[in-house]
Amino acid sequence: KGRCLRKPKVSSAARVSQHNVGGRSAQRCLVPTWALFVVEGTTSLSSLPSYSSDTITEEVCREDDVGDGQLLEVTVAGYPVLLVRNRREFRALGSKCPHFGAPLSKGVLRGERLRCPWHGACFNIRTGDIEEYPALDCIPSFKVTVEDGKVFITAKRKVLTLPAVTEHRQSPTSSSSSSARCQRAEVSSPAGVAALVCAETLRQEGFTGRIIMATKEKHVPYDKSKLSKVTMLSNVTRAALCQVSVDFQKQKVHFMDGSSQKYHQLLIATGSHSGFLKVPGADLQNICTLQTPEESSKILELATGKNLVIVGASFIGMEVAAFLSDRAGTISVVEREPFPYQHALGPQVGGVAMKMLQNKGVKFHMKTELCELKGKDGKVSPAFHMQTNIPKVFAAGDVVTFPVALLGGDRSSIHHQQVAEAHGRCAALNMLGRGEELHTVPYFWSTLLGKSIRYAGREGHRGEQSNSFHQDGHVTAAASLNCDPMVSLIAEVLYLGKQISKEEAE
């Protein structure tokens, strides 16, 4: 319930396309974007594949070929399908995570919950529905039948041929005249992943009122994690609408162009901003921060064939160095700590990552402080329900500090996509009065020169002999370098509320 529902109620203001799937009229809401798959119908079984115009039934293996709890990738009509055996029951699902195409056969299965090995997205094996982000789409599920010790999968051909990774349609919700007749308006600002998931969840849960996203950016919601990899977005833009103030008593948002908008409930999801260099000459040309697609394009243009200096050796700085290592003339990374990722992942992972980039010609100047970076003060502090101390006002994403269950409710500010999406969903459900508490395990990821870095949980004290973090003798987080799906396994253990002792981790 509440996890990418199969038949959402969609506002007439939203763009909806109709597909006839398995004899039913199914809706795919284009904004917010998500995938809808309904598969049903049976055919006679035999040892040979059975084909109809749009339905395929095929034997994929023997019953005793798959052990309990095993994940096996099989093929149906030449297309990969994931076969799962759980408590003696067989389930069949799409084989790839819709986020980045990770093979789910290498994931972690606990009960009826399957976790992606790369970025921690979770799916229900009965329905294919999302149970944890960062994926925004569910995966298809197929009918499985066992006859005479043989396992058969029945699937719709057009579902099998869908791409493994959904290319999310970046189309804003149209403001048709019908939306003006709605009695309630939910306003979110700006249109990042927290706001996107909040809007999507409201629609899935049956909210048919008006939803307004206001942002100072020209782009509709996009994946900001790709900016540090200098991945260009499409040229689809909209006029920006930047809010300047909120009158909480009158429940009205005022915008820079002089217009205003009444709201019934408000989500503040303004994100965070890069720090600025506080040294003489910081205002000269060719000094860039990385916050938007335009800045990403500018950095790529300026760095190609030239000398590049990157201040900071955490996730974004290291990803930019890796991406530009064969494009820039020279790259120098300046960092005041002894190792990259010093506070987030520790010296073991940081040392290996630094060596990888050094082998590509990147120079590191560690323990060197050229500037002072200051974060934003005045964080919004919602509770587990993402409700602020102001009635009808919620907050989500990088702008908030929030109670982290893994740290006993201690507040923390976590700037990452998966957490922002979880915030957005929680806020949406509580706008609808569901009393939903935030329950998620923070999951971070990065890739350097083809090597994966994973981190799940929240930092406590770092273990001396391992890349685990602990508080009161129990593990609260773990990190890995090119060791999938280890971190996903630990994330699932932490999600289930089980404890791993410091001694077990080390």
Side-chain angles (χ1 to χ4, degrees), residues 58-62 65-67 69-85 90-97 101-107 109 114 117-118 139 142 151 153 160 164:
E58 188 168 316
E59 179 186 345
V60 294
C61 66
R62 300 281 305 178
D65 290 339
V66 187
Q70 186 176 349
L71 306 172
L72 178 66
E73 186 172 291
V74 298
T75 59
V76 177
Y79 296 97
V81 172
L82 180 67
L83 184 65
V84 181
R85 190 172 190 178
F90 284 96
R91 305 288 174 188
L93 306 157
S95 66
K96 305 293 184 183
C97 178
L104 294 177
S105 60
K106 299 183 182 299
L109 179 66
L114 176 62
W118 289 1
I139 55 177
F142 308 103
V151 181
I153 293 178
L160 287 172

Side-chain angles (χ1 to χ4, degrees), residues 81-302:
V81 172
L82 180 67
L83 184 65
V84 181
R85 190 172 190 178
N86 184 49
R87 298 170 185 170
R88 299 184 180 181
E89 291 185 341
F90 284 96
R91 305 288 174 188
L93 306 157
S95 66
K96 305 293 184 183
C97 178
H99 181 230
F100 266 86
L104 294 177
S105 60
K106 299 183 182 299
V108 175
L109 179 66
R110 287 294 180 272
E112 295 186 344
R113 182 181 168 97
L114 176 62
R115 185 179 286 268
C116 170
W118 289 1
H119 305 137
C122 295
F123 306 91
N124 185 290
I125 62 171
R126 284 183 175 270
T127 63
D129 293 346
I130 301 171
E131 294 201 348
E132 184 61 280
Y133 299 101
L136 289 175
D137 292 285
C138 58
I139 55 177
S141 59
F142 308 103
K143 183 176 181 179
V144 182
T145 307
V146 179
E147 186 177 278
D148 298 328
K150 301 174 183 179
V151 181
F152 297 84
I153 293 178
T154 300
K156 295 289 185 181
R157 185 185 299 274
K158 61 183 177 182
V159 177
L160 287 172
T161 58
L162 287 172
V165 181
T166 303
E167 296 181 2
H168 297 295
R169 292 277 302 273
Q170 296 190 352
S171 302
T173 302
S174 60
S175 55
S176 62
S177 59
S178 60
S179 65
R181 296 194 297 268
C182 298
Q183 297 180 349
R184 295 173 54 181
E186 314 292 348
V187 179
S188 61
S189 170
V193 291
L196 173 65
V197 172
C198 178
E200 181 176 83
T201 303
L202 287 169
R203 286 285 183 254
Q204 292 168 356
E205 294 295 316
F207 177 72
T208 58
R210 194 178 184 191
I211 299 175
I212 301 169
M213 289 188 181
T215 176
K216 67 179 181 180
E217 290 201 38
K218 297 179 180 179
H219 300 271
V220 294
Y222 59 91
D223 186 351
K224 280 205 169 187
S225 69
K226 295 181 179 180
L227 292 183
S228 54
K229 303 167 185 64
V230 201
T231 302
M232 298 299 101
L233 295 171
S234 63
N235 293 322
V236 179
T237 61
R238 292 194 70 200
L241 188 62
C242 184
Q243 69 180 53
V244 293
S245 66
V246 179
D247 187 331
F248 296 113
Q249 290 186 339
K250 295 182 179 180
Q251 294 182 208
K252 181 178 290 189
V253 178
H254 297 275
F255 300 104
M256 189 173 292
D257 64 356
S259 63
S260 63
Q261 173 65 50
K262 286 276 292 181
Y263 67 86
H264 182 266
Q265 298 192 85
L266 173 69
L267 174 70
I268 299 174
T270 51
S272 61
H273 301 279
S274 302
F276 297 96
L277 294 172
K278 301 294 183 180
V279 293
D283 57 346
L284 297 174
Q285 292 182 347
N286 297 349
I287 296 177
C288 308
T289 56
L290 180 56
Q291 195 80 30
T292 67
E294 291 77 15
E295 291 169 341
S296 175
S297 299
K298 183 179 179 180
I299 291 171
L300 177 60
E301 179 183 354
L302 291 174

